DNA sequence: AATCCGGGGTC
DNA sequence: GACCCAGGATT
């Protein structure tokens, strides 16, 4: 069998398999470039089953590009809450504004314009151009690299950029005339349903007959992939600060900086332990560290007791969280003083004035976007208050 | 080219 | 508990 025959067999059988076996997914029910774009951004590093409910809620809340472009950023983040990689959401909204400004509100269909959109790289650009506009562009994601590395026995590290480039050239050769949309989706569908990372279902594979990895028994060893470093541990002490007086039943939250990790998301106040390197502090020490932090930040509160421990693993950092219940100190004389000075009973300034702090009740959780860890902690707290 | 960005799944 | 999945931006 020649290389050309091996390629023809692959493209033909894969396409036929896909047309019979493709899943009914929300973004496949229309050929709406906006829907395809949203779905492709959400599907980066995220499985289909996780994305489906987020996708449905997202297009219900932001039915058109204009709706997305004009929405408050917090609304977009709230819709993304729990999905992770929040820069995807912020970039998506920025790109929606790009589309309004530069392309009359229509997702562009030329390569240069598509890849110029924030958050759209080589993979997503290829996905949009091929799936939405049926252009013969490669869309090489992890699924595609796994399928191709096995079928064609490509023993190159898929983490290398040069390997992706090689795969892209191969895909262009493989796309059947006029079938870019179905074919690219077929490649990914096979990777998701049959040619899975571990124990692939070779016996039901439509292209098993000429799959070189299966023939040589190497399907379990491919693709080749260099290992990433383990996340560095960080011990963090969290203040679960209960309001008193006017803030009874409320918790103190703050907004994260506008760039970096979890940018502009909301969280419970916490501090990196300066003492340990990932090791748990005894409660006494942790409360000491937290006390200093509260004082430095100008938060009028004192740690009372341990509430819970929690863990949050990012790809590069592992947060070990020790959470302490704290009581707000109501300074009677300060309130009286500010009332006479300003004529109102306003809040004392908390923090460095760059950081936004807010007291919120259980109902207000709906209004702010939190990373999953803090969602869990705050919900555990409000749940406990409820049953008390 | 190397590092920064979340969260969920399987075994 | 160990391991897996893995696009784009930034530097």
């Amino acid at each position: 069998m020649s290389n050309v025959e091996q390629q023809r067999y692959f493209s033909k059988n894969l396409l036929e398999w896909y047309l019979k076996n493709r899943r009914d997914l929300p973004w496949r029910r229309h050929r709406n470039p906006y829907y395809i774009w949203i779905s492709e951004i959400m599907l980066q590093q995220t499985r289909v089953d996780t994305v489906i409910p987020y996708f449905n809620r997202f297009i219900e809340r932001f039915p058109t590009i204009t709706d997305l472009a004009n929405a408050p950023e917090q609304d977009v983040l709230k819709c993304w809450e729990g999905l992770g990689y929040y820069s995807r959401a912020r970039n998506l909204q920025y790109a929606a504004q790009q589309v309004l400004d530069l392309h009359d509100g229509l997702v562009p269909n030329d390569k240069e314009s598509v890849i110029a959109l924030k958050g759209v790289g080589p993979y997503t650009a290829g996905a949009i151009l091929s799936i939405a506009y049926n252009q013969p562009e490669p869309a090489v994601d992890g699924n595609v690299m796994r399928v191709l590395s096995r079928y064609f026995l490509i023993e190159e590290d898929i983490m290398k950029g040069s390997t992706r480039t090689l795969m892209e050239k191969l895909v262009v050769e493989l796309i059947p005339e006029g079938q870019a949309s179905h074919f690219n989706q077929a490649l990914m569908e096979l990777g998701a349903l049959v040619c899975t990372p571990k124990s692939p279902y070779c016996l039901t594979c439509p292209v098993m007959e000429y799959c070189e990895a299966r023939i040589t028994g190497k399907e379990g060893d491919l693709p080749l992939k260099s290992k990433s470093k383990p996340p560095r541990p960080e011990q963090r002490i969290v203040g679960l600060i209960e309001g008193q007086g006017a803030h009874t039943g409320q918790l103190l939250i703050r907004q994260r900086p506008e760039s970096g990790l979890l940018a502009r998301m909301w969280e419970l106040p916490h501090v990196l332990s300066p003492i340990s390197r990932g090791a748990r502090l005894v409660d006494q020490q942790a409360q000491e560290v937290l006390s200093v932090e509260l004082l430095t930040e100008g938060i009028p509160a004192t740690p009372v007791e341990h509430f819970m421990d929690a863990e949050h693993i990012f790809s590069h950092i592992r947060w070990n969280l020790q959470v302490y219940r704290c009581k707000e100190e109501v300074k009677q004389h300060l309130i009286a003083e500010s009332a006479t000075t300003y004529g109102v009973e306003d809040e004392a300034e908390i923090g460095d004035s760059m950081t936004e702090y807010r007291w919120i009740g259980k109902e207000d959780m709906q209004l702010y976007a939190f990373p999953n860890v803090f969602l869990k902690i705050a919900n555990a707290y409000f749940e406990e208050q409820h049953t008390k």
Side-chain angles (χ1 to χ4, degrees):
Chain A
M1 149 147 300
S2 71
N3 285 345
V4 176
E5 284 169 324
Q6 188 197 13
Q7 291 189 12
R8 289 248 171 81
Y9 163 89
F10 179 83
S11 298
K12 180 169 180 291
N13 285 39
L14 179 57
L15 193 57
E16 284 175 3
W17 170 84
Y18 175 72
L19 295 176
K20 283 181 199 147
N21 296 283
R22 68 194 209 122
R23 288 171 289 180
D24 175 24
L25 302 174
W27 47 91
R28 283 185 180 161
R29 293 191 160 195
H30 321 82
R31 190 174 270 201
N32 181 333
Y34 173 59
Y35 289 179
I36 290 164
W37 177 25
I38 301 297
S39 70
E40 288 302 334
I41 299 293
M42 286 187 172
L43 286 164
Q44 291 168 7
Q45 276 83 14
T46 315
R47 342 171 73 84
V48 166
D49 290 342
T50 307
V51 165
I52 290 173
Y54 280 91
F55 175 83
N56 289 331
R57 261 183 280 128
F58 198 92
I59 60 169
E60 192 179 331
R61 173 67 184 78
F62 311 108
T64 68
I65 293 180
T66 308
D67 296 320
L68 176 58
N70 295 330
E73 189 191 63
Q74 275 301 314
D75 288 14
V76 182
L77 283 176
K78 189 66 188 175
C79 233
W80 211 270
E81 183 182 73
L83 202 52
Y85 284 106
Y86 300 97
S87 65
R88 291 186 295 174
R90 291 181 287 110
N91 288 340
L92 186 58
Q93 189 181 27
Y94 184 93
Q97 291 158 1
Q98 286 181 292
V99 171
L100 275 198
D101 292 344
L102 305 172
H103 309 292
D104 299 325
L106 298 174
V107 180
N109 62 1
D110 64 285
K111 207 174 183 176
E112 293 73 18
S113 302
V114 173
I115 209 153
L117 298 175
K118 201 104 181 184
V120 175
Y123 163 73
T124 308
I128 292 171
L129 292 169
S130 63
I131 298 174
Y133 298 116
N134 203 27
Q135 292 179 25
E137 292 290 333
V140 175
D141 71 349
N143 287 308
V144 174
M145 288 202 277
R146 187 170 57 254
V147 169
L148 296 181
S149 69
R150 284 174 177 165
Y151 185 84
F152 293 102
L153 202 71
I154 299 168
E155 297 177 292
E156 301 280 338
D157 183 355
I158 60 166
M159 296 303 280
K160 281 167 43 186
S162 56
T163 307
R164 208 204 66 223
T165 309
L166 185 131
M167 301 266 186
E168 286 174 348
K169 291 196 173 110
L170 182 53
V171 169
V172 172
E173 287 180 39
L174 293 169
I175 295 174
E177 184 77 28
Q179 297 290 346
S181 179
H182 288 323
F183 184 75
N184 277 347
Q185 293 182 77
L187 271 173
M188 295 188 267
E189 197 83 338
L190 189 74
L193 299 180
V194 178
C195 198
T196 50
K198 280 187 281 188
S199 51
Y201 304 96
C202 294
L203 295 181
T204 63
C205 179
V207 295
M208 62 100 89
E209 201 175 347
Y210 299 117
C211 173
E212 293 186 43
R214 189 198 61 80
I215 292 167
T216 56
K218 292 182 177 176
E219 72 274 9
D221 305 327
L222 290 172
L224 257 49
K225 190 172 175 258
S226 52
K227 301 246 183 254
S228 54
K229 294 193 305 181
R232 66 171 187 274
E234 283 184 2
Q235 200 68 23
R236 288 181 173 269
I237 318 298
V238 183
L240 191 65
I241 303 165
E242 303 177 280
Q244 303 291 311
H247 303 136
T248 301
Q250 297 186 313
L251 282 180
L252 187 66
I253 63 166
R254 71 179 180 198
Q255 192 173 28
R256 293 183 59 84
E258 49 190 281
S259 64
L261 185 67
L262 303 168
R264 289 201 278 273
M265 300 283 285
W266 291 79
E267 64 180 6
L268 297 172
H270 59 96
V271 61
L272 176 64
S273 163
I275 311 166
S276 61
R277 292 200 313 278
R280 195 177 188 284
L281 271 59
V282 294
D283 289 344
Q284 168 94 21
Q285 260 184 324
Q287 296 193 37
E288 198 75 30
V289 168
L290 188 54
S291 276
V292 172
E293 172 68 8
L294 295 175
L295 203 61
T296 315
E297 280 293 293
I299 301 169
T302 346
V304 176
E305 60 177 7
H306 179 254
F307 181 71
M308 67 185 286
D309 282 1
E311 184 185 65
H312 195 59
I313 303 173
F314 305 92
S315 37
H316 59 308
I317 310 172
R318 175 204 187 95
W319 275 2
N320 298 313
L321 304 180
Q322 294 175 237
V323 186
Y324 292 84
R325 190 195 300 274
C326 305
K327 254 193 157 66
E328 181 192 8
E329 307 283 352
V330 183
K331 302 262 174 52
Q332 291 299 336
H333 68 282
L334 276 184
I335 289 172
E337 188 181 313
S338 75
T340 50
T341 308
Y342 303 105
V344 287
E345 198 179 310
D346 65 350
E347 309 265 355
E349 179 90 7
I350 295 177
D352 52 16
S353 83
M354 298 299 288
T355 308
E356 178 109 30
Y357 282 86
R358 236 168 253 189
W359 290 101
I360 63 156
K362 185 180 164 73
E363 342 62 74
D364 302 321
M365 293 290 291
Q366 269 41 266
L367 304 175
Y368 302 91
F370 297 91
N372 268 349
V373 227
F374 296 112
L375 217 47
K376 273 179 206 152
I377 298 169
N379 283 334
Y381 172 75
F382 285 124
E383 194 55 38
E384 187 198 89
Q385 291 306 104
H386 182 68
T387 55
K388 248 184 186 172

